[in-house]
mmCIF file of all heavy atoms in Angstrom:
data_model
loop_
_atom_site.group_PDB
_atom_site.id
_atom_site.type_symbol
_atom_site.label_atom_id
_atom_site.label_comp_id
_atom_site.label_asym_id
_atom_site.label_seq_id
_atom_site.Cartn_x
_atom_site.Cartn_y
_atom_site.Cartn_z
ATOM 1 N N PRO B 13 -47.445 -114.947 -58.528
ATOM 2 C CA PRO B 13 -46.777 -114.438 -57.328
ATOM 3 C C PRO B 13 -45.300 -114.199 -57.542
ATOM 4 O O PRO B 13 -44.718 -114.575 -58.552
ATOM 5 C CB PRO B 13 -46.979 -115.583 -56.337
ATOM 6 C CG PRO B 13 -46.920 -116.807 -57.212
ATOM 7 C CD PRO B 13 -47.580 -116.409 -58.508
ATOM 8 N N PHE B 14 -44.687 -113.587 -56.524
ATOM 9 C CA PHE B 14 -43.239 -113.563 -56.462
ATOM 10 C C PHE B 14 -42.734 -114.990 -56.286
ATOM 11 O O PHE B 14 -43.432 -115.851 -55.739
ATOM 12 C CB PHE B 14 -42.756 -112.749 -55.255
ATOM 13 C CG PHE B 14 -42.622 -111.287 -55.522
ATOM 14 C CD1 PHE B 14 -43.566 -110.393 -55.050
ATOM 15 C CD2 PHE B 14 -41.555 -110.800 -56.235
ATOM 16 C CE1 PHE B 14 -43.441 -109.036 -55.281
ATOM 17 C CE2 PHE B 14 -41.408 -109.441 -56.476
ATOM 18 C CZ PHE B 14 -42.363 -108.561 -56.000
ATOM 19 N N GLY B 15 -41.514 -115.220 -56.698
ATOM 20 C CA GLY B 15 -40.885 -116.502 -56.423
ATOM 21 C C GLY B 15 -40.464 -116.598 -54.966
ATOM 22 O O GLY B 15 -40.675 -115.692 -54.167
ATOM 23 N N SER B 16 -39.856 -117.725 -54.621
ATOM 24 C CA SER B 16 -39.464 -117.972 -53.235
ATOM 25 C C SER B 16 -38.001 -117.638 -53.008
ATOM 26 O O SER B 16 -37.182 -117.694 -53.922
ATOM 27 C CB SER B 16 -39.710 -119.442 -52.875
ATOM 28 O OG SER B 16 -41.078 -119.725 -52.821
ATOM 29 N N ASN B 17 -37.702 -117.284 -51.760
ATOM 30 C CA ASN B 17 -36.326 -117.041 -51.360
ATOM 31 C C ASN B 17 -35.688 -118.392 -51.061
ATOM 32 O O ASN B 17 -35.886 -118.960 -49.984
ATOM 33 C CB ASN B 17 -36.295 -116.129 -50.132
ATOM 34 C CG ASN B 17 -34.884 -115.682 -49.799
ATOM 35 O OD1 ASN B 17 -33.944 -116.020 -50.507
ATOM 36 N ND2 ASN B 17 -34.735 -114.951 -48.732
ATOM 37 N N ILE B 18 -34.956 -118.920 -52.023
ATOM 38 C CA ILE B 18 -34.425 -120.278 -51.933
ATOM 39 C C ILE B 18 -32.990 -120.216 -51.428
ATOM 40 O O ILE B 18 -32.117 -119.668 -52.090
ATOM 41 C CB ILE B 18 -34.481 -120.978 -53.301
ATOM 42 C CG1 ILE B 18 -35.874 -120.867 -53.903
ATOM 43 C CG2 ILE B 18 -34.064 -122.437 -53.173
ATOM 44 C CD1 ILE B 18 -35.948 -121.277 -55.363
ATOM 45 N N SER B 19 -32.750 -120.768 -50.260
ATOM 46 C CA SER B 19 -31.401 -120.782 -49.713
ATOM 47 C C SER B 19 -30.510 -121.688 -50.551
ATOM 48 O O SER B 19 -30.939 -122.737 -51.046
ATOM 49 C CB SER B 19 -31.438 -121.276 -48.262
ATOM 50 O OG SER B 19 -30.130 -121.487 -47.778
ATOM 51 N N SER B 20 -29.260 -121.282 -50.689
ATOM 52 C CA SER B 20 -28.319 -122.066 -51.493
ATOM 53 C C SER B 20 -28.080 -123.455 -50.910
ATOM 54 O O SER B 20 -27.623 -124.351 -51.626
ATOM 55 C CB SER B 20 -26.989 -121.318 -51.615
ATOM 56 O OG SER B 20 -26.425 -121.078 -50.341
ATOM 57 N N LYS B 21 -28.404 -123.641 -49.634
ATOM 58 C CA LYS B 21 -28.188 -124.970 -49.040
ATOM 59 C C LYS B 21 -29.122 -126.026 -49.647
ATOM 60 O O LYS B 21 -28.885 -127.230 -49.489
ATOM 61 C CB LYS B 21 -28.366 -124.914 -47.526
ATOM 62 C CG LYS B 21 -29.792 -124.654 -47.064
ATOM 63 C CD LYS B 21 -29.861 -124.585 -45.540
ATOM 64 C CE LYS B 21 -31.295 -124.315 -45.062
ATOM 65 N NZ LYS B 21 -31.347 -124.216 -43.581
ATOM 66 N N TYR B 22 -30.169 -125.564 -50.344
ATOM 67 C CA TYR B 22 -31.092 -126.499 -50.978
ATOM 68 C C TYR B 22 -30.727 -126.796 -52.429
ATOM 69 O O TYR B 22 -31.402 -127.592 -53.084
ATOM 70 C CB TYR B 22 -32.523 -125.953 -50.918
ATOM 71 C CG TYR B 22 -33.064 -125.838 -49.511
ATOM 72 C CD1 TYR B 22 -33.308 -124.589 -48.949
ATOM 73 C CD2 TYR B 22 -33.328 -126.974 -48.747
ATOM 74 C CE1 TYR B 22 -33.799 -124.473 -47.659
ATOM 75 C CE2 TYR B 22 -33.815 -126.864 -47.450
ATOM 76 C CZ TYR B 22 -34.054 -125.613 -46.909
ATOM 77 O OH TYR B 22 -34.536 -125.505 -45.635
ATOM 78 N N PHE B 23 -29.673 -126.178 -52.935
ATOM 79 C CA PHE B 23 -29.286 -126.413 -54.321
ATOM 80 C C PHE B 23 -28.669 -127.803 -54.462
ATOM 81 O O PHE B 23 -27.899 -128.254 -53.602
ATOM 82 C CB PHE B 23 -28.289 -125.361 -54.798
ATOM 83 C CG PHE B 23 -28.868 -123.971 -54.891
ATOM 84 C CD1 PHE B 23 -28.030 -122.861 -54.913
ATOM 85 C CD2 PHE B 23 -30.231 -123.764 -54.944
ATOM 86 C CE1 PHE B 23 -28.544 -121.573 -55.002
ATOM 87 C CE2 PHE B 23 -30.764 -122.485 -55.033
ATOM 88 C CZ PHE B 23 -29.916 -121.394 -55.061
ATOM 89 N N VAL B 24 -29.011 -128.464 -55.546
ATOM 90 C CA VAL B 24 -28.480 -129.792 -55.846
ATOM 91 C C VAL B 24 -27.930 -129.780 -57.268
ATOM 92 O O VAL B 24 -28.125 -128.829 -58.026
ATOM 93 C CB VAL B 24 -29.571 -130.879 -55.686
ATOM 94 C CG1 VAL B 24 -29.989 -131.019 -54.225
ATOM 95 C CG2 VAL B 24 -30.794 -130.573 -56.555
ATOM 96 N N SER B 25 -27.238 -130.855 -57.623
ATOM 97 C CA SER B 25 -26.556 -130.885 -58.923
ATOM 98 C C SER B 25 -27.520 -131.084 -60.087
ATOM 99 O O SER B 25 -27.208 -130.727 -61.222
ATOM 100 C CB SER B 25 -25.496 -131.993 -58.933
ATOM 101 O OG SER B 25 -26.104 -133.248 -58.667
ATOM 102 N N SER B 26 -28.687 -131.640 -59.848
ATOM 103 C CA SER B 26 -29.692 -131.800 -60.897
ATOM 104 C C SER B 26 -31.066 -131.877 -60.241
ATOM 105 O O SER B 26 -31.176 -132.165 -59.048
ATOM 106 C CB SER B 26 -29.428 -133.059 -61.731
ATOM 107 O OG SER B 26 -29.531 -134.219 -60.925
ATOM 108 N N GLY B 27 -32.090 -131.599 -61.031
ATOM 109 C CA GLY B 27 -33.441 -131.606 -60.484
ATOM 110 C C GLY B 27 -34.309 -130.592 -61.205
ATOM 111 O O GLY B 27 -34.278 -130.497 -62.436
ATOM 112 N N ILE B 28 -35.053 -129.784 -60.437
ATOM 113 C CA ILE B 28 -35.922 -128.762 -61.012
ATOM 114 C C ILE B 28 -35.125 -127.462 -61.128
ATOM 115 O O ILE B 28 -34.622 -126.953 -60.120
ATOM 116 C CB ILE B 28 -37.175 -128.536 -60.149
ATOM 117 C CG1 ILE B 28 -37.885 -129.865 -59.863
ATOM 118 C CG2 ILE B 28 -38.118 -127.553 -60.837
ATOM 119 C CD1 ILE B 28 -38.355 -130.597 -61.091
ATOM 120 N N PRO B 29 -34.968 -126.907 -62.342
ATOM 121 C CA PRO B 29 -34.145 -125.695 -62.511
ATOM 122 C C PRO B 29 -34.815 -124.464 -61.912
ATOM 123 O O PRO B 29 -36.039 -124.324 -61.946
ATOM 124 C CB PRO B 29 -34.011 -125.575 -64.034
ATOM 125 C CG PRO B 29 -35.188 -126.302 -64.582
ATOM 126 C CD PRO B 29 -35.511 -127.399 -63.631
ATOM 127 N N VAL B 30 -33.973 -123.571 -61.387
ATOM 128 C CA VAL B 30 -34.437 -122.316 -60.786
ATOM 129 C C VAL B 30 -34.152 -121.175 -61.767
ATOM 130 O O VAL B 30 -32.994 -120.946 -62.148
ATOM 131 C CB VAL B 30 -33.728 -122.041 -59.446
ATOM 132 C CG1 VAL B 30 -34.236 -120.724 -58.826
ATOM 133 C CG2 VAL B 30 -33.940 -123.192 -58.472
ATOM 134 N N ILE B 31 -35.185 -120.456 -62.170
ATOM 135 C CA ILE B 31 -35.020 -119.316 -63.073
ATOM 136 C C ILE B 31 -34.537 -118.120 -62.279
ATOM 137 O O ILE B 31 -35.140 -117.732 -61.278
ATOM 138 C CB ILE B 31 -36.342 -118.977 -63.787
ATOM 139 C CG1 ILE B 31 -36.762 -120.131 -64.702
ATOM 140 C CG2 ILE B 31 -36.203 -117.682 -64.598
ATOM 141 C CD1 ILE B 31 -38.120 -119.938 -65.355
ATOM 142 N N ARG B 32 -33.434 -117.521 -62.744
ATOM 143 C CA ARG B 32 -32.871 -116.320 -62.112
ATOM 144 C C ARG B 32 -32.639 -115.263 -63.193
ATOM 145 O O ARG B 32 -32.969 -115.463 -64.357
ATOM 146 C CB ARG B 32 -31.565 -116.673 -61.394
ATOM 147 C CG ARG B 32 -31.719 -117.707 -60.290
ATOM 148 C CD ARG B 32 -30.381 -118.082 -59.685
ATOM 149 N NE ARG B 32 -29.535 -118.760 -60.666
ATOM 150 C CZ ARG B 32 -28.237 -118.985 -60.504
ATOM 151 N NH1 ARG B 32 -27.625 -118.574 -59.401
ATOM 152 N NH2 ARG B 32 -27.539 -119.609 -61.425
ATOM 153 N N GLY B 33 -32.055 -114.150 -62.802
ATOM 154 C CA GLY B 33 -31.846 -113.049 -63.741
ATOM 155 C C GLY B 33 -30.992 -113.419 -64.925
ATOM 156 O O GLY B 33 -31.164 -112.867 -66.024
ATOM 157 N N ASN B 34 -30.046 -114.359 -64.767
ATOM 158 C CA ASN B 34 -29.174 -114.729 -65.881
ATOM 159 C C ASN B 34 -29.920 -115.484 -66.983
ATOM 160 O O ASN B 34 -29.386 -115.684 -68.071
ATOM 161 C CB ASN B 34 -27.991 -115.568 -65.383
ATOM 162 C CG ASN B 34 -28.424 -116.851 -64.708
ATOM 163 O OD1 ASN B 34 -29.073 -116.810 -63.662
ATOM 164 N ND2 ASN B 34 -28.069 -117.980 -65.270
ATOM 165 N N ASN B 35 -31.162 -115.900 -66.706
ATOM 166 C CA ASN B 35 -31.960 -116.575 -67.735
ATOM 167 C C ASN B 35 -32.839 -115.609 -68.524
ATOM 168 O O ASN B 35 -33.512 -116.010 -69.469
ATOM 169 C CB ASN B 35 -32.847 -117.641 -67.098
ATOM 170 C CG ASN B 35 -32.049 -118.662 -66.312
ATOM 171 O OD1 ASN B 35 -32.170 -118.727 -65.091
ATOM 172 N ND2 ASN B 35 -31.215 -119.422 -66.983
ATOM 173 N N LEU B 36 -32.852 -114.333 -68.102
ATOM 174 C CA LEU B 36 -33.665 -113.309 -68.754
ATOM 175 C C LEU B 36 -32.740 -112.224 -69.278
ATOM 176 O O LEU B 36 -31.606 -112.092 -68.836
ATOM 177 C CB LEU B 36 -34.675 -112.709 -67.771
ATOM 178 C CG LEU B 36 -35.484 -113.701 -66.932
ATOM 179 C CD1 LEU B 36 -36.378 -112.954 -65.953
ATOM 180 C CD2 LEU B 36 -36.326 -114.597 -67.827
ATOM 181 N N THR B 37 -33.225 -111.411 -70.223
ATOM 182 C CA THR B 37 -32.395 -110.357 -70.783
ATOM 183 C C THR B 37 -33.236 -109.103 -70.984
ATOM 184 O O THR B 37 -34.432 -109.087 -70.728
ATOM 185 C CB THR B 37 -31.797 -110.768 -72.150
ATOM 186 O OG1 THR B 37 -32.845 -110.803 -73.122
ATOM 187 C CG2 THR B 37 -31.122 -112.116 -72.081
ATOM 188 N N THR B 38 -32.580 -108.080 -71.470
ATOM 189 C CA THR B 38 -33.277 -106.860 -71.890
ATOM 190 C C THR B 38 -33.092 -106.629 -73.385
ATOM 191 O O THR B 38 -33.351 -105.543 -73.880
ATOM 192 C CB THR B 38 -32.741 -105.635 -71.117
ATOM 193 O OG1 THR B 38 -31.321 -105.529 -71.344
ATOM 194 C CG2 THR B 38 -32.997 -105.758 -69.628
ATOM 195 N N ASP B 39 -32.647 -107.648 -74.123
ATOM 196 C CA ASP B 39 -32.291 -107.443 -75.536
ATOM 197 C C ASP B 39 -33.053 -108.362 -76.491
ATOM 198 O O ASP B 39 -32.539 -108.757 -77.526
ATOM 199 C CB ASP B 39 -30.785 -107.626 -75.730
ATOM 200 C CG ASP B 39 -30.322 -109.033 -75.390
ATOM 201 O OD1 ASP B 39 -31.168 -109.866 -75.015
ATOM 202 O OD2 ASP B 39 -29.113 -109.300 -75.506
#
Side-chain angles (χ1 to χ4, degrees):
F14 273 104
S16 291
N17 188 2
I18 309 168
S19 171
S20 59
K21 68 181 180 181
Y22 295 112
F23 293 161
V24 293
S25 58
S26 63
I28 308 300
V30 180
I31 295 175
R32 299 176 295 167
N34 60 295
N35 303 113
L36 312 177
T37 71
T38 58
D39 62 1

